[in-house]
Amino acid sequence: AGGCDSEEEEGDFDLSVRFLELDFRDRASLAKALEGTKAVVHTAGPYLGEKPEILEAAIECGVPVYVDVSDPVDYIEQARALSDRACEKGTIALCSAGAFPGLSNVLAMECADRLGEPVKDVDFSYFTAGLGGSGDVNLLITNEGFGEPMLLFRNGHMTKEDTAGGEPRKINFFLTDEDQSRSLVGEQTVWNWPFPEAATVASELEIQGDSSIGMGTAPDLWNVILGVLVSLVPRSWWRNRDFSNGLAIFSKPMVALTDRFVGETHAMRIDMSGVGGRRVSAVQAHESFRRVVGQSCAEFTLSLMEDDKDGKPKISQRGVFTPEQLFRSERVRSPVLKRLLAVPGTLNYGFKEE
């Protein structure tokens, strides 16, 4: 299920792909559409304020594989509550399976493995330049996020903070001078935004210190404007969909104009420290935010659909998972991480251990 315009996009797909317009809240129509389906990929966001109805329908229809790119913690928790039912019906479901969250979660679990000691602190930093045609939905999602609380760990305990859009800081989105992201992205400003992995990954790793998470964009003028707006506009306004959507529609022409000058770039960085003082950092960069989200989602889906030489699923678990849960073990994580870091358009990736 997605939000593509079939007339505009259908020609880019294999002939076996068909488009079907329906209201996913119409249970009968949705159930009919899911008959005989091997996998459901749900990208019809935004997910904020929604219930996991498509996941529930996929489970009840016995669809073997379900994947989405959800990011609100409330939505993820409601989805996880369906895990027992998914097990009964033979469904494996993966939420938050995009680039961030998604690939970022898997990178964090790899960092934790390389750290080799209990995790103290973890920080997630993201950068995107150019929407790449993904449109005002992403602007709406960003705007609504400013009204949501940050779920973070402080001294090993989960807390809520109303700091979205605040606490700007500078992040280097490269590890070595040879990284392409050093020249294409370099050092960028990021500010707090309520992505779920600062809570879900930190919880899975049982960190003993703090978690933090931020994102930034280009040109840097947008970071300044957003910071001013967040300081002036009440958070209740950002939670109002009419306000956030109206602002998204208003700003879309200006964003489209600046996109023509800054182009498309995406980068992420995860920094993790252990209780014994060790540090591990990971960086991944890609030519396009829009493409890396789609590619990551596709690779996650294919990994869940793959069979071994005996015709049995390579990933045998059933239930509803987040990436850090499903790919915690090195045996399961290594193949999917290799695929995720090799998608076309990847500029560079790497790890640094201290």
Side-chain angles (χ1 to χ4, degrees):
C4 289
D5 181 333
S6 60
E7 293 183 1
E8 180 179 335
E9 303 287 352
E10 195 164 272
D12 296 335
F13 288 95
D14 184 272
L15 292 177
S16 63
V17 176
R18 65 188 178 91
F19 287 84
L20 176 66
E21 185 175 338
L22 59 82
D23 180 354
F24 67 75
R25 292 183 178 82
D26 183 336
R27 288 300 184 92
S29 297
L30 181 58
K32 184 177 180 180
L34 296 181
E35 288 179 3
T37 300
K38 294 181 179 179
V40 170
V41 181
H42 172 22
T43 62
Y47 299 83
L48 187 63
E50 299 292 338
K51 298 182 182 300
E53 296 174 282
I54 294 180
L55 168 59
E56 189 172 12
I59 292 171
E60 294 307 317
C61 290
V63 177
V65 172
Y66 167 94
V67 173
D68 69 33
V69 291
S70 58
D71 52 22
V73 173
D74 286 347
Y75 183 98
I76 296 167
E77 289 178 344
Q78 290 180 63
R80 288 282 295 130
L82 298 172
S83 190
D84 288 345
R85 183 59 174 167
C87 288
E88 293 173 7
K89 300 291 287 187
T91 297
I92 181 171
L94 183 63
C95 299
S96 306
F100 54 86
L103 168 56
S104 58
N105 305 47
V106 181
L107 280 174
M109 301 311 289
E110 178 68 17
C111 286
D113 201 28
R114 293 177 180 232
L115 194 65
E117 61 185 40
V119 179
K120 182 175 181 287
D121 302 320
V122 60
D123 175 66
F124 298 86
S125 299
Y126 307 132
F127 170 80
T128 61
L131 289 176
S134 52
D136 48 344
V137 171
N138 269 326
L139 295 174
L140 168 60
I141 292 171
T142 301
N143 291 344
E144 288 188 327
F146 292 133
E148 294 301 301
M150 302 281 297
L151 291 179
L152 304 171
F153 269 60
R154 293 288 180 257
N155 296 316
H157 300 283
M158 183 106 60
T159 64
K160 287 186 179 182
E161 301 178 3
D162 286 325
T163 58
E167 300 182 356
R169 60 266 192 195
K170 295 288 188 179
I171 299 293
N172 288 329
F173 286 95
F174 59 91
L175 296 175
T176 71
D177 290 342
E178 288 72 37
D179 287 347
Q180 290 189 62
S181 57
R182 191 191 198 296
S183 58
L184 293 175
V185 181
E187 182 185 72
Q188 295 289 341
T189 300
V190 302
W191 26 262
N192 288 352
W193 203 86
F195 291 105
E197 51 268 46
T200 62
V201 170
S203 178
E204 182 69 18
L205 292 174
E206 298 181 335
I207 73 168
Q208 299 182 27
D210 301 341
S211 67
S212 55
I213 193 160
M215 67 175 293
T217 188
D220 196 48
L221 176 62
W222 282 120
N223 297 315
V224 175
I225 291 173
L226 287 170
V228 171
L229 283 173
V230 171
S231 68
L232 294 176
V233 177
R235 296 199 181 271
S236 60
W237 288 26
W238 295 104
R239 288 193 290 269
N240 183 294
R241 178 150 294 184
D242 289 338
F243 171 81
S244 285
N245 193 47
L247 186 60
I249 294 171
F250 173 77
S251 61
K252 183 180 178 181
M254 293 180 285
V255 172
L257 178 62
T258 57
D259 280 1
R260 295 169 63 180
F261 296 96
V262 301
E264 269 197 90
T265 319
H266 146 89
M268 66 174 72
R269 177 173 181 137
I270 295 94
D271 292 293
M272 190 174 292
S273 63
V275 295
R278 283 182 50 79
R279 291 180 58 84
V280 177
S281 298
V283 163
Q284 180 265 358
H286 193 281
E287 294 174 348
S288 163
F289 165 70
R290 170 180 55 97
R291 285 170 53 204
V292 75
V293 172
Q295 289 167 325
S296 298
C297 188
E299 294 298 342
F300 278 122
T301 305
L302 291 171
S303 71
L304 301 188
M305 296 178 69
E306 279 189 342
D307 293 334
D308 61 20
K309 61 182 180 180
D310 297 321
K312 297 180 180 180
K314 286 186 175 182
I315 300 178
S316 58
Q317 295 98 316
R318 291 297 177 261
V320 182
F321 304 90
T322 55
E324 64 272 13
Q325 295 171 324
L326 188 59
F327 301 104
R328 176 154 192 164
S329 76
E330 192 276 337
R331 180 187 64 82
V332 180
R333 183 178 66 251
S334 182
V336 74
L337 186 58
K338 183 178 180 180
R339 298 173 67 148
L340 291 166
L341 295 176
V343 297
T346 299
L347 298 172
N348 56 267
Y349 66 87
F351 298 87
K352 182 178 181 180
E353 302 178 28
E354 300 177 271

